[in-house]
Amino acid sequence: MAKAANLSRSDLDSSSGSDLSVSSRTSNRSLRVVEKERRRNEAGDPFLLSLKYFSKGNVGNDVLERHLVQVERVGLSRGLPPEAISVMLDYAMSLRTGGKICVRVLKFLIPATVVPQEAVVQAVAWLCVSKIAISTQVLFLRWLLTVFDMIDSKDNLRAIYGFIFHFVTEENLSPYICHLLYLLTRRESVRPFRVRKLLDLQTKMGRQPFLLHLLSLYKVFCPELVTLALPSQMRSGFKNHNSMWKAALSAVQKRNNSQVSSDISLTLGVKHKTNSRKRKYHHLEVPSLSSSVQRNSPFSSSRKVFPLEQLHTFPQLLDNLHRIELPSQMGSLLGSNLSLCYLDYVQDDSAFLRLNFWLGHALHEEFLFCSSRDGGSGSSSEALHLLNRLLSTQHFLQEGFSSTEGFLYKFLNVWDGSLLRPQILGLLSDIPVVPSSCINQLLFEPLVQLFFTSTLFFKCSVIDCLNNMLLKWLTWHSVYALEDGLDISLHSHTPMNMSLSGFMDSVVELVRFVGRLAAVGLQLEGCHSLLLSFILDFYETVCDMFLKYGLPLVVMPPVGVFYPALFATDPVSVDRLGYIMYRYKNNLISAKCQQKETKQAFHISRQTYREFNHYLSFMVSCLWNSKMFLPGMAIEVDQELLSLSKVAKPWTSFDLIHHPAFLGYALDFHHKCWPERKEVDLNSIKAGKQWDWYLEFLFSQGFQGLQQFTHTPFSQCHRRLPL
């Protein structure tokens, strides 16, 4: 039995070993079959054979041309994979077959997905050691700027920043090198010797835009190194150099549904060709948010970069704050509030500069340089979408962009007042404080021409826009002025500084300008109630500048606004005027008391008190005391002229009983008090307690402004303020 058992066990073991060897042989045979199949595929794929040919650095005539045509066909049709980009770029830049082949390769070097960083670094190295023609170097730099946003990483490129900077002195290369340096610059890249080199170039070449833009970025990072005064508004310093590759790139990206983001999708969008030669919108598409690093790329896994397209919730943002890298395509941030949160958190000045550059280029190209006969149209859905997205972004960040501000100053001079009006006026209300020395030329003169030749609705829209602008200026002052003192920056990304007195001068100019617009506008529109409502909205903001916003300034409305509001035929306007006068009085009293207690430097002029006392005394005499048109009052009318009107007791015509705005309420009150009377005697309301009852009746109708004006208390409200 034991022998049988042992025999059986040995038989089983030998059988098992035999099975394992059979399985191993089968597996090895399968691997050999797969490897043979792979080699057969490689041998049968002309593209792979061509890549193998170029990777070995072979040179020749007919064979070279055959392989070059094969790779060129693939590159222009579906794009080259990363390994092919590396092989062909190295082959071209090494000049193994001369400069003509290098130029030809660069022209069809279209990436299908991403461009390997190491391939670009190797190509830059070839620039340093090879005798490449200047025209070919320019072509390479243009290609590099075009595909810059498709490079899988920029770390090693930034590591050779100094080598790239070396080429900035070459006059023909300088515009492209400055653009490349602008994209690569970080705070640690700014060195004193580089600043000196750029300043020397600026002296030699003049104030070239590309040099000024790079210097402006250096000044953002290290203002103590760049002492050169740079203009606050500069035209675009970097041009797009992608005309040679834009059609092929767009076709490849569309064919492959690439998820790689790049700025070229903004400016290189190619429309279907038509017979028309009109210029089309191709700068206005807000790109979808995506990372420049592919999700499954080795670089993404090694650096643990969190792709922006995967950012969906605020907790994700908090958990990955140090893993997120801003995209090279800054325009895509306009489509994501979470990305804007991150942008606001990191406060990267270079990111704001790049975003401003893209915005400025898009707005200028499509609205200023594209006339209506060239295809520009206010009905463009792309333009509407971009401006709405830009408005939403600025409201989210609570600040405007400097590029938008510069665009608006130019656009107002050619605007017809109807093209995308809500969006343009919305952007206009977001501009930061404008110095009083140039606010008239930049803002007021273009608006005056539009305002006086426009419809009632446009006039109301302009007044509302300027009211929102003033509100934002005052809100900025109330939030930041006390923190930063008197000498403060008015815009977190604007280099202009302004003192408190300068800020007050700008506010005074704006308020007086609106006063002039309002007075003339009311005359042109016959004191229309809608326009008057928007004007009173503005002065509700103005009357509370001291108490609500902490600005030691009081500006009274002009007579062309006060009297139309007082004599308005709708009771709401008169009631709002009462509230405005009530707030003016509180602000003036508080300013006077604070000035005496703290002896601060600000001073409310005597003229302001005189204007207020004049308005106050006339309003009380008119509405309460029934002393209209009497001698010694603000408005005097000849008695003979009054007699020709045949109005009995004309001095009572505008009290709270006979005023056209309140006559209906007086009749209603009279009917409720004396329902049995057939004859109406409104003067009976003034007798005894009926007057107090009538006032309470008016207040119960919702006229809170008149109630506050009356209950200040009454004796103080009607008393003149000391000068």
Side-chain angles (χ1 to χ4, degrees):
M1 291 292 293
K3 279 186 177 180
N6 292 334
L7 183 61
S8 300
R9 189 177 297 110
S10 63
D11 292 341
L12 287 173
D13 292 341
S14 63
S15 175
S16 176
S18 176
D19 291 342
L20 287 173
S21 71
V22 171
S23 175
S24 177
R25 287 195 298 273
T26 304
S27 177
N28 292 334
R29 188 180 302 112
S30 299
L31 291 175
R32 288 195 298 273
V33 170
V34 170
E35 181 66 19
K36 187 180 295 184
E37 185 68 22
R38 186 183 67 80
R39 291 179 180 177
R40 186 183 299 113
N41 291 337
E42 288 184 356
D45 190 341
F47 176 68
L48 294 178
L49 287 175
S50 297
L51 281 185
K52 193 172 183 180
Y53 171 85
F54 288 113
S55 64
K56 293 180 179 179
N58 294 325
V59 295
N61 294 321
D62 296 339
V63 178
L64 171 65
E65 179 64 24
R66 184 174 69 252
H67 289 300
L68 205 58
V69 169
Q70 179 61 42
V71 178
E72 184 177 20
R73 184 185 300 113
V74 174
L76 295 177
S77 61
R78 61 175 185 266
L80 299 176
E83 58 274 10
I85 293 287
S86 299
V87 170
M88 297 308 300
L89 186 59
D90 183 70
Y91 187 86
M93 298 301 291
S94 63
L95 297 181
R96 290 189 177 95
T97 53
K100 292 184 179 180
I101 298 297
C102 177
V103 171
R104 182 176 174 181
V105 170
L106 288 174
K107 289 181 179 180
F108 67 73
L109 213 56
I110 308 299
T113 53
V114 297
V115 176
Q117 176 184 215
E118 295 305 326
V120 177
V121 173
Q122 181 66 24
V124 173
W126 281 117
L127 282 182
C128 300
V129 300
S130 297
K131 296 181 179 180
I132 302 177
I134 292 295
S135 59
T136 307
Q137 295 182 41
V138 169
L139 183 65
F140 166 71
L141 291 174
R142 288 176 55 193
W143 174 84
L144 179 56
L145 291 170
T146 300
V147 302
F148 182 84
D149 304 317
M150 306 178 75
I151 301 174
D152 55 7
S153 174
K154 315 294 191 305
D155 290 346
N156 292 343
L157 269 176
R158 294 190 178 104
I160 60 170
Y161 188 95
F163 290 97
I164 299 174
F165 188 89
H166 170 75
F167 292 96
V168 78
T169 56
E170 179 61 49
E171 186 173 354
N172 294 323
L173 302 181
S174 188
Y176 311 98
I177 292 296
C178 285
H179 194 172
L180 181 59
L181 293 174
Y182 188 92
L183 297 174
L184 293 173
T185 298
R186 292 294 182 266
R187 187 178 301 275
E188 57 273 13
S189 307
V190 182
R191 304 288 178 82
F193 72 91
R194 289 171 184 161
V195 174
R196 289 194 297 270
K197 178 66 71 175
L198 291 177
L199 292 176
D200 292 341
L201 280 176
Q202 190 260 345
T203 303
K204 176 182 177 182
M205 303 172 62
R207 297 175 68 85
Q208 297 295 333
F210 51 86
L211 288 174
L212 293 178
H213 270 273
L214 184 57
L215 282 170
S216 69
L217 182 58
Y218 278 19
K219 191 168 186 176
V220 167
F221 289 129
C222 298
E224 70 281 0
L225 295 181
V226 184
T227 57
L228 178 68
L230 298 173
S232 58
Q233 299 294 336
M234 291 186 291
R235 66 183 179 89
S236 298
F238 304 121
K239 300 178 181 179
N240 284 326
H241 312 291
N242 41 46
S243 57
M244 186 174 298
W245 300 275
K246 67 177 184 179
L249 275 168
S250 298
V252 166
Q253 289 185 350
K254 186 176 180 179
R255 177 189 178 97
N256 297 343
N257 294 320
S258 175
Q259 296 182 352
V260 180
S261 66
S262 61
D263 282 335
I264 53 177
S265 63
L266 303 180
T267 54
L268 309 182
V270 177
K271 307 292 183 181
H272 294 292
K273 292 184 178 180
T274 62
N275 295 329
S276 172
R277 298 191 62 174
K278 292 182 179 180
R279 181 174 181 166
K280 304 298 181 182
Y281 282 85
H282 46 261
H283 294 269
L284 300 181
E285 298 177 4
V286 178
S288 58
L289 187 66
S290 58
S291 175
S292 60
V293 181
Q294 283 191 315
R295 190 176 305 175
N296 299 321
S297 68
F299 172 76
S300 177
S301 58
S302 63
R303 282 278 307 276
K304 297 182 178 179
V305 174
F306 188 81
L308 282 171
E309 65 268 21
Q310 297 182 21
L311 189 62
H312 302 301
T313 64
F314 197 74
Q316 281 183 320
L317 174 63
L318 296 179
D319 293 339
N320 298 280
L321 274 177
H322 302 293
R323 297 172 55 197
I324 297 175
E325 190 173 70
L326 286 171
S328 298
Q329 189 180 16
M330 294 301 297
S332 62
L333 294 180
L334 299 182
S336 170
N337 286 342
L338 286 173
S339 298
L340 291 174
C341 280
Y342 178 72
L343 179 65
D344 194 46
Y345 166 75
V346 296
Q347 287 295 310
D348 189 341
D349 292 311
S350 63
F352 277 97
L353 284 172
R354 289 165 52 206
L355 186 55
N356 271 308
F357 172 76
W358 178 81
L359 281 173
H361 178 75
L363 294 172
H364 280 72
E365 283 291 322
E366 296 303 331
F367 290 97
L368 288 176
F369 304 147
C370 181
S371 62
S372 58
R373 66 177 179 271
D374 292 331
S377 173
S379 61
S380 169
S381 59
E382 295 176 0
L384 182 64
H385 176 68
L386 173 68
L387 294 185
N388 284 333
R389 176 60 64 182
L390 180 56
L391 270 173
S392 175
T393 300
Q394 293 190 164
H395 293 167
F396 184 83
L397 295 175
Q398 295 295 303
E399 61 181 335
F401 293 103
S402 59
S403 57
T404 308
E405 179 188 357
F407 157 74
L408 288 171
Y409 293 149
K410 298 176 184 177
F411 185 67
L412 285 178
N413 292 290
V414 297
W415 188 38
D416 60 0
S418 61
L419 175 66
L420 299 168
R421 178 170 54 203
Q423 290 74 27
I424 296 299
L425 291 179
L427 292 174
L428 190 63
S429 67
D430 285 339
I431 65 173
V433 183
V434 185
S436 58
S437 59
C438 56
I439 192 173
N440 185 65
Q441 178 184 0
L442 294 176
L443 192 61
F444 295 164
E445 290 180 0
L447 283 179
V448 164
Q449 299 177 18
L450 292 170
F451 187 86
F452 293 139
T453 58
S454 62
T455 63
L456 169 68
F457 182 75
F458 181 81
K459 290 182 175 70
C460 295
S461 300
V462 169
I463 298 296
D464 183 58
C465 167
L466 296 176
N467 183 31
N468 291 331
M469 181 188 299
L470 178 62
L471 276 170
K472 289 169 184 176
W473 289 9
L474 294 173
T475 302
W476 168 85
H477 170 79
S478 63
V479 172
Y480 296 107
L482 296 179
E483 296 180 5
D484 299 333
L486 297 182
D487 210 12
I488 42 184
S489 173
L490 288 179
H491 202 245
S492 58
H493 300 287
T494 300
M496 178 187 66
N497 291 329
M498 182 179 291
S499 64
L500 177 61
S501 61
F503 174 74
M504 291 173 60
D505 289 341
S506 297
V507 172
V508 169
E509 289 294 326
L510 177 61
V511 173
R512 289 177 177 171
F513 171 70
V514 175
R516 294 192 296 271
L517 288 185
V520 179
L522 287 172
Q523 295 179 30
L524 293 175
E525 300 297 338
C527 297
H528 198 283
S529 298
L530 181 62
L531 179 59
L532 182 59
S533 175
F534 281 95
I535 293 171
L536 293 177
D537 282 340
F538 179 79
Y539 279 99
E540 282 184 2
T541 303
V542 174
C543 69
D544 248 346
M545 290 193 296
F546 178 67
L547 285 181
K548 191 172 182 180
Y549 299 100
L551 185 67
L553 181 66
V554 179
V555 183
M556 299 301 299
V559 293
V561 171
F562 176 80
Y563 289 114
L566 181 60
F567 298 141
T569 56
D570 64 293
V572 175
S573 296
V574 182
D575 178 69
R576 295 181 68 185
L577 180 63
Y579 172 77
I580 290 171
M581 293 300 293
Y582 159 73
R583 294 306 304 169
Y584 266 123
K585 184 177 182 68
N586 286 352
N587 277 258
L588 285 169
I589 291 175
S590 298
K592 194 78 174 179
C593 295
Q594 184 170 336
Q595 189 174 353
K596 289 180 179 180
E597 292 175 359
T598 61
K599 296 182 179 180
Q600 292 186 0
F602 70 86
H603 175 69
I604 306 298
S605 68
R606 288 177 175 267
Q607 181 61 29
T608 301
Y609 287 102
R610 289 193 186 99
E611 291 179 4
F612 175 79
N613 287 333
H614 169 79
Y615 289 156
L616 178 65
S617 120
F618 183 82
M619 190 171 179
V620 172
S621 299
C622 175
L623 296 179
W624 273 269
N625 299 338
S626 303
K627 294 181 180 180
M628 187 73 175
F629 306 126
L630 293 180
M633 300 305 298
I635 298 180
E636 295 186 19
V637 180
D638 188 83
Q639 294 299 318
E640 294 181 1
L641 185 61
L642 286 175
S643 62
L644 292 176
S645 67
K646 297 181 180 181
V647 176
K649 298 181 179 180
W651 53 86
T652 65
S653 298
F654 288 94
D655 59 20
L656 285 175
I657 298 174
H658 300 88
H659 196 293
F662 299 100
L663 186 59
Y665 293 96
L667 291 172
D668 187 22
F669 179 78
H670 185 278
H671 177 72
K672 290 181 178 180
C673 287
W674 300 283
E676 70 284 354
R677 288 188 183 180
K678 295 183 179 180
E679 294 183 359
V680 178
D681 181 16
L682 294 180
N683 289 325
S684 61
I685 297 177
K686 291 186 177 181
K689 295 183 178 180
Q690 281 78 10
W691 174 252
D692 294 334
W693 293 346
Y694 176 64
L695 291 179
E696 293 299 327
F697 170 74
L698 286 180
F699 301 154
S700 67
Q701 302 302 310
F703 299 119
Q704 303 300 319
L706 289 175
Q707 183 178 14
Q708 290 173 316
F709 182 78
T710 304
H711 296 164
T712 305
F714 195 87
S715 58
Q716 292 183 8
C717 179
H718 300 169
R719 189 173 61 200
R720 290 172 175 264
L721 289 178
L723 299 179

